[in-house]
Amino acid sequence: MVSNYDRIFEEITAEANRVATESGLPVDPLIELVMEIVNTEDRHRIRQIDVNKDIENMITTTAMDLLRD
């Protein structure tokens, strides 16, 4: 039996590979970013956090890291 995490990871990996191929972006940072967003959303269900601000910061950090490379 496949866990939800494994299923989500497989779907994200497949989509990240598609996006990376079309955009020329590296796939690993895309997977890491989306999995962090999923984890943040999951934590939000347990405890109230500022999801939008956290996700915005994650996206900005990833974009800046990609620009530096």
Side-chain angles (χ1 to χ4, degrees):
M1 181 174 175
V2 176
S3 71
N4 271 350
Y5 178 85
D6 292 337
R7 182 184 54 77
I8 290 168
F9 184 76
E10 287 176 16
E11 290 177 17
I12 288 170
T13 300
E15 187 64 15
N17 281 316
R18 185 189 67 74
V19 169
T21 300
E22 290 177 3
S23 67
L25 293 171
V27 72
D28 289 337
L30 294 175
I31 294 170
E32 291 172 22
L33 172 62
V34 176
M35 289 305 293
E36 260 315 299
I37 291 171
V38 169
N39 287 333
T40 299
E41 290 287 347
D42 191 48
R43 282 194 318 268
H44 176 67
R45 288 187 299 141
I46 298 167
R47 186 185 66 157
Q48 289 295 354
I49 58 175
D50 189 350
V51 175
N52 291 335
K53 183 176 180 175
D54 285 351
I55 292 172
E56 182 179 326
N57 288 339
M58 285 182 241
I59 292 169
T60 300
T61 300
T62 300
M64 296 301 290
D65 289 347
L66 289 172
L67 288 173
R68 285 188 202 112
D69 290 343

